Amino acid sequence: MGPYTITYFGVRGRCGAIRIMMADQGQEWKEILIDFADWMKGDLKASCVFGQLPKFEDGGLVLYQSNAILRHLGRNHDAYGKDGKEAAHIDMMCDGIEDLRLKYGKMIYQEYDTGKDPYIKDLPNHLDKFEAVMAKNKTGFLVGDKPSFADYNLFDVLLNHLVLCSSCLDTFPSLKSFVEKMSARPKIKAFLDSDAYKKLPINGNGKQ
Ligand code: GTB
């Protein structure tokens, strides 16, 4: 397995969690950053299964869809639970994170000016679900006793939300502690401190 290749735009976006997971798992990967003007020429888009990026390569295996890529990394790096029951819960949490990511993306890309404040006001009604799961599990992770791909996904989404609203975790102690502990994992810390990470905006339209 690996080294992996990511083809994506020069943003964190749909590759934030994937990159953080690869970094924490000690994997190296190659980045092919696509300029949006080049993308608009259409050749690369036409070659992508769903006409979108990211594209992910693991040797001869070519994957699209960010959550499928996370699941693949979960299988490759023993980050998909210890049994079928844990895997099912990890899938469930990943789908819940996707729901939040889609709401966030809609606000960022379609209604930032009018939607940001209502979004922040409603945010506790989404974060409380993750807080409850995290508090109940007691290990510092969503499922089981080590990070799964759902944890990397949640961590990335929470980092984005902390940029949107720096106080958003103040009433969620388990999520706050989760972000602190994930941020302090040495390989994640090194990655988050790197120019490769810091130079990339969160989203493609400059809103955050
Ligand atoms: N369900 C898919 C997944 O999870 O991988 C969704 C992928 C997706 O939305 N890809 C977007 C894309 O390929 C990029 S993420 N858009 C181009 C197209 O559809 O033709 C959002 C995004 C938008 C714009 C930029 N940008 O301008 O740099 C970057 C990222």
Side-chain angles (χ1 to χ4, degrees):
M1 72 191 69
Y4 303 121
T5 302
I6 286 182
T7 305
Y8 192 50
F9 305 106
V11 301
R12 296 177 198 167
R14 285 269 168 191
C15 281
I18 294 166
R19 293 180 178 120
I20 289 168
M21 179 167 182
M22 291 190 294
D24 195 43
Q25 296 293 332
Q27 292 298 301
E28 292 187 357
W29 70 95
K30 182 179 165 193
E31 291 272 0
I32 301 177
L33 295 182
I34 303 299
D35 187 86
F36 207 74
D38 288 337
W39 174 256
M40 292 305 285
K41 292 175 190 161
D43 292 354
L44 178 57
K45 183 177 176 73
S47 75
C48 298
V49 170
F50 297 102
Q52 292 194 310
L53 297 175
K55 172 183 179 181
F56 184 87
E57 290 165 88
D58 176 2
L61 175 69
V62 182
L63 285 176
Y64 300 90
Q65 293 292 350
S66 55
N67 289 319
I69 296 163
L70 282 171
R71 286 182 165 88
H72 178 68
L73 289 172
R75 283 185 288 267
N76 272 5
H77 299 288
D78 193 19
Y80 209 148
K82 69 174 187 311
D83 55 24
K85 195 172 155 189
E86 280 195 3
H89 279 125
I90 289 166
D91 281 338
M92 179 183 81
M93 294 317 298
C94 194
D95 286 0
I97 296 159
E98 176 65 14
D99 287 350
L100 181 58
R101 196 182 279 284
L102 287 172
K103 283 190 183 75
Y104 169 82
K106 182 167 181 263
M107 180 275 294
I108 289 284
Y109 284 104
Q110 294 174 26
E111 55 198 33
Y112 187 83
D113 292 340
T114 56
K116 179 182 168 182
D117 290 345
Y119 181 90
I120 291 173
K121 200 168 169 213
D122 189 41
L123 189 54
N125 298 319
H126 302 289
L127 295 180
D128 63 355
K129 315 300 184 293
F130 298 101
E131 172 72 18
V133 171
M134 194 66 84
K136 192 172 173 205
N137 193 38
K138 293 190 176 70
T139 62
F141 304 109
L142 287 169
V143 180
D145 58 5
K146 64 178 186 172
S148 71
F149 67 86
D151 290 294
Y152 297 111
N153 201 8
L154 179 64
F155 177 57
D156 173 65
V157 160
L158 292 179
L159 289 181
N160 295 349
H161 281 82
L162 283 166
V163 172
L164 180 75
C165 172
S166 60
S167 61
C168 72
L169 298 185
D170 287 358
T171 50
F172 299 113
S174 300
L175 294 181
K176 196 165 189 174
S177 161
F178 168 74
V179 167
E180 284 165 5
K181 286 185 180 156
M182 290 292 279
S183 302
R185 289 170 72 89
K187 289 175 187 152
I188 292 184
K189 184 176 182 326
F191 179 61
L192 298 184
D193 286 343
S194 71
D195 287 341
Y197 178 78
K198 287 195 285 193
K199 76 175 184 193
L200 298 180
I202 298 174
N203 300 301
N205 63 354
K207 312 272 190 206
Q208 60 180 26

